[in-house]
Each structure stands twice: as C-alpha cells, then as structure tokens.
Amino acid sequence: MTLRAALPCLFVAALAGCVVGPDYRRPDTVAPGAWREASAPGAPLPDRWWALFGDDELDRHVEAALAANQDLAAALARHDRLRALLGVARADELPDVSLDPAYARARTSGTVENRLPELETTLWRVPVDVAYEVDLWGRVRRSVEAAGADVQGSADTVNAVRLSVAATATSTYLSLRSSDRDIEVLVRTVSVRDDAFRLAERRARAGVVGDLDVLRARADLAQTRADLADARRRRDNLEHALAVVEGRNAPDFTLAAREWTPVLPDVPAGLPSTLLERRPDVAADERALAAASARIGVARAAFFPQVRLTAAGGVASDSLGDLTARDSRAWSIGPVVRLPLFDGGRNRANLQAAEAAYQGALANWRQGGIVAFREVQDALSDTRWLREQGEALAATVDAATSAAKVSRSRYDRGLAGYFEVVDSERQALASRRAAIQNDQQRLLATVALIKALGGGWREGDAVPRQPVASAGAPR
C-alpha cells in the first residue's frame, strides 16, 4: 500500500478513536460471607473515629499528628508529583508550538582549495514551529489513563498513611496512659512494701520475727522498685514515640501523667464484601493495577505507525529591516510517518515487561485483599478473647486482693509466716498489672480493628477518600 493510499485509512482510524490494549475492568475476587466473630451492633464508624475513646487530650494529639507528621507530608509531596506528571501526560494531547527566533552571520573561507566564491551572509529568522502527534492507536490516551490511575492511587496512599498516622498516635497515647496506670499501682505497692520492710526491721529488733522476714521484705521491696523503674523506662519510650508521630523532637516533648480511665468502644465490622472498597491501601493497589493495564496499551501502540503533523511559518531575511516585507514570509507543512520496521525486539520486550508488570500488580492487589481479611479477623478474635480474659482477670484481682488482706491479717496476728504474705501480695500485684495490661491490649486490638477496616466508614461507602491537600499547603 502506498503512503497516498494509507493516509485516508489513517485518517479514518483517527476519527474512529482506535485504542489498542485492554480496557481495564477490576478483576473479580472472592470475599468471605461473614466474619467468624459477630461484629458489634451500632452505627458505622465516624471519620474522627479516635473520639470513640472519650479522651479530649487524645483527640488533640491525633490532630497534631495529622497536621505535622513527616511521613504524611512525604506522601502528600508524592501525590503532588504524580499530579504534575499527569499534566505532562495530558500535554501530549495538544500540539507543541514554539517560537525560535535566530540571527546568523557567516563568511566563507577564501583560501580553501576548490572553494566557493568568498561570501559573507546575514540571516534573520523568526519561525513558529507546530508539531502534533495524531493519536491513532491511543498511545497518548493510554498514557493519560495510566497517569490518572497513578494520581488516584497516590490519593489512596495518602489516605492510607493518614490512617496509619492516626492509628499510631492513638495506640501510642493509649499505651502511654496504660503505663501511667501501671506506674500508679507500682508506686502504691512500693510505698506499702517499704512500710512492711520497716515494720519487719522493727519487729526483728524486738525479737518478734527472725532476720529471714526482714530479708524477704527487703527483696520484695527491691523487686518492686526494679519493676517501677522498668515501667517508667517504657513510658519514656512511648512519650518519645508520640513526639516522633507528631513531628516533634523528643527532648522538647513531655506529657504529664494523670489519672485516666480507659474507655473500650464497640466497633462494628460491617460486611466482608465491602472491606476491599473501604481499605485505602487495597484501593491504592487496585489503582496500580489499572495503571499497569493502561501501560500495556502504551506498549502495544509502539508496534503501529506513528503520525506527526508538522508545520512551520514565519519570516526570514538577510536584513532586519526587511523582516516585515511580504516576500520575507516562509512556511512549510507536512505529515511525518514513522513506521517501525526493525527494532531488535525492543517493542516486544517492552510489551512483555508491561504484561508482567500487570500480573505482578494483580498479585499484589489480591494478596492485599487476603491480608486485609486476615487483619480484620485477627482483630475480631483478639477483641473477643481479650474480653473473656479481662472478665477472668477481674475475678482474679478480687480473689488475689482478698487473699493478700487475709494473709497480712494472719501474719499480724502471728498465725502465718512472712513467706505467705509475700506470696499472696505478689499474686495480688501480678493480677492487678495483668488486668491493666489486658485493658491495654483490648484498646490496641480496637485500634487495630478500626485500622483493618479502613478507618471511618458509612454503609454503602466505597473508599473513604479524604480531600488531599497540597504538600505545601496548610493541612
């Protein structure tokens, strides 16, 4: 087929809007019918889900983290970059127009053998060049499609980072306040055991008890002080971690201890079939899959002819004063067709790479869904069993505390040895600390469940896309 005969076909193809490559459709996935643990009844989660824990100070710290966290700032900057790259891709849908004024002064040599006549020339040029790629096979459209999916995926990634920052700030704060409760119990226990040690010393000097009671009281006091020091160390580390989440320097950040009572909210899990539409990280994987599908079309378009329409117009003269003269006008126009004849297998290799990238993105998306279902099920299981454990620990605390009081009373009346007192009080302390730890684990399991569900959601919602601000704008 001659070029003259091919041009009408190319024109018809352009009008028809031919686009090679697969049209993206989200692949089907199998969701479980129901969670093994029944979800709690009640309304879906609010966007500010951390308010469910009933602590105004927690609310302030989460808001501070969302405003200043540097991981979130980096995610916003990546989103801005991809939005800019989408603009680059869209620019290919429009003609390139450039103005290229030039001035040249030249002289030929008069001493070169077989030379041309010695000549001096001057040239003034003011051309306007226009070039436009006729998107016959959808290469440009597929590129824009891929860049648009990248932008949508980056918005989902920003929301995933925002959810992670809020969950980390919440978990860290709740762990820190749980440490305050543990420290409060240990401080009271140190005071009680210090009194017991001094009492044992006085009774030993009076000959009422032996030195063994004093040694046991001293060891018990020392161990409790060691536990208190370890609890304070862990609290300091949590305070430093909270500072980092809020984008602050740890040495400049302090959080005073205070009395605190945990609030354990019930969290509805919703239907498993809607989970993948609510999780921003899974949604980001799905958008990466859509972008990979579009790039298959870009790779396939490389096998077909590329047509560029070019035109140039302007003025040229050997004298600046003649540039505006009618005879100084110059122009050219014509299409440029690039036919790929031999490329050493480059285009086929690029197509194979694009198809492999799609299969990899598909596997990532499906694996992300499997992990999401597992994380929700883990959190539901933790919530259920920790609640049952907490009920058992509450009974243990009551029994151990009563036993410690009885042992102390028996010892004071000389009916029991100090070993019985030490053993019963250790059990009482251990049970109280275990109950505090269980409360903390239940709080963290609740946060983990909310994070696994994708944060705040309403019935019928798809991905809870938060507005994405520019990295340089206040948030």
Side-chain angles (χ1 to χ4, degrees), residues 77-407:
R78 288 191 293 270
H79 178 68
D80 287 346
R81 173 180 174 272
L82 289 173
R83 283 198 301 188
L85 292 178
L86 174 59
V88 173
R90 284 175 173 166
D92 289 339
E93 295 177 320
L94 303 173
D96 290 332
V97 182
S98 61
L99 176 65
D100 303 312
Y103 165 77
R105 174 74 176 166
R107 179 182 183 279
T108 60
S109 173
T111 61
V112 177
E113 188 176 356
N114 297 323
R115 66 186 181 278
L116 295 173
E118 183 177 326
L119 180 65
E120 292 186 2
T121 60
T122 300
L123 180 61
W124 296 84
R125 297 178 66 249
V126 186
V128 176
D129 297 323
V130 180
Y132 175 69
E133 178 180 348
V134 181
D135 193 23
L136 296 176
W137 319 109
R139 183 194 71 83
V140 175
R141 279 166 285 175
R142 290 298 192 197
S143 297
V144 172
E145 181 183 338
D150 286 338
V151 171
Q152 293 171 347
S154 70
D156 291 325
T157 299
V158 169
N159 288 330
V161 174
R162 179 182 283 115
L163 173 60
S164 179
V165 168
T168 301
T170 302
S171 296
T172 304
Y173 178 87
L174 295 175
S175 296
L176 188 147
R177 288 306 179 202
S178 297
S179 291
D180 284 344
R181 296 179 69 205
D182 190 32
I183 290 170
E184 182 182 2
V185 169
L186 288 169
V187 167
R188 290 202 306 266
T189 304
V190 166
S191 177
V192 170
R193 290 185 177 172
D194 184 59
D195 291 342
F197 169 64
R198 297 181 186 280
L199 177 61
E201 283 187 320
R202 290 196 299 270
R203 299 181 74 178
R205 286 195 297 266
V208 178
V209 299
D211 291 339
L212 182 59
D213 285 1
V214 177
L215 293 175
R216 283 175 174 169
R218 179 183 295 165
D220 202 30
L221 174 60
Q223 181 60 56
T224 308
R225 284 174 172 166
D227 293 341
L228 177 58
D230 185 62
R232 284 173 169 160
R233 176 191 63 81
R234 286 185 282 107
R235 188 199 188 277
D236 283 351
N237 288 342
L238 289 168
E239 190 176 69
H240 304 158
L242 186 59
V244 172
V245 176
E246 295 186 22
R248 302 173 64 177
N249 293 322
D252 301 330
F253 182 85
T254 57
L255 189 63
R258 66 178 177 86
E259 292 186 4
W260 180 76
T261 302
V263 175
L264 291 164
D266 289 329
V267 176
L271 298 175
S273 59
T274 62
L275 176 64
L276 299 187
E277 298 177 358
R278 297 201 307 262
R279 287 266 301 229
D281 56 338
V282 177
D285 288 340
E286 188 271 335
R287 289 291 82 200
L289 180 62
S293 174
R295 290 189 173 100
I296 293 177
V298 175
R300 284 185 179 173
F303 288 89
F304 297 91
Q306 184 181 32
V307 179
R308 291 182 64 84
L309 302 180
T310 61
V315 292
S317 174
D318 59 4
S319 172
L320 181 61
D322 292 335
L323 277 179
T324 58
R326 181 181 181 86
D327 291 341
S328 296
R329 292 179 300 175
W331 58 269
S332 66
I333 187 171
V336 176
V337 180
R338 179 182 178 275
L339 301 174
L341 300 179
F342 177 76
D343 60 7
R346 179 183 295 105
N347 288 339
R348 184 162 300 279
N350 283 333
L351 177 58
Q352 291 172 347
E355 291 173 340
Y358 175 83
Q359 293 300 322
L362 177 60
N364 287 338
W365 175 67
R366 285 177 171 164
Q367 181 66 14
I370 292 171
V371 171
F373 290 128
R374 179 237 168 143
E375 289 176 349
V376 174
Q377 192 61 64
D378 280 351
L380 287 171
S381 297
D382 288 346
T383 301
R384 173 188 174 184
W385 297 116
L386 287 170
R387 181 173 60 251
E388 292 192 14
Q389 183 188 40
E391 293 170 354
L393 284 172
T396 302
V397 170
D398 291 340
T401 302
S402 298
K405 290 179 179 178
V406 171
S407 296

Side-chain angles (χ1 to χ4, degrees), residues 399-446:
T401 302
S402 298
K405 290 179 179 178
V406 171
S407 296
R408 173 63 66 177
S409 177
R410 283 167 50 83
Y411 176 74
D412 291 342
R413 289 181 292 161
L415 301 177
Y418 195 73
F419 179 79
E420 178 182 317
V421 176
V422 170
D423 185 60
S424 61
E425 289 186 348
R426 282 178 180 171
Q427 289 182 3
L429 175 61
S431 64
R432 287 196 294 271
R433 298 189 70 192
I436 292 172
Q437 184 180 18
N438 174 265
D439 287 344
Q440 177 183 348
Q441 290 174 331
R442 291 176 65 185
L443 290 166
L444 298 185
T446 301

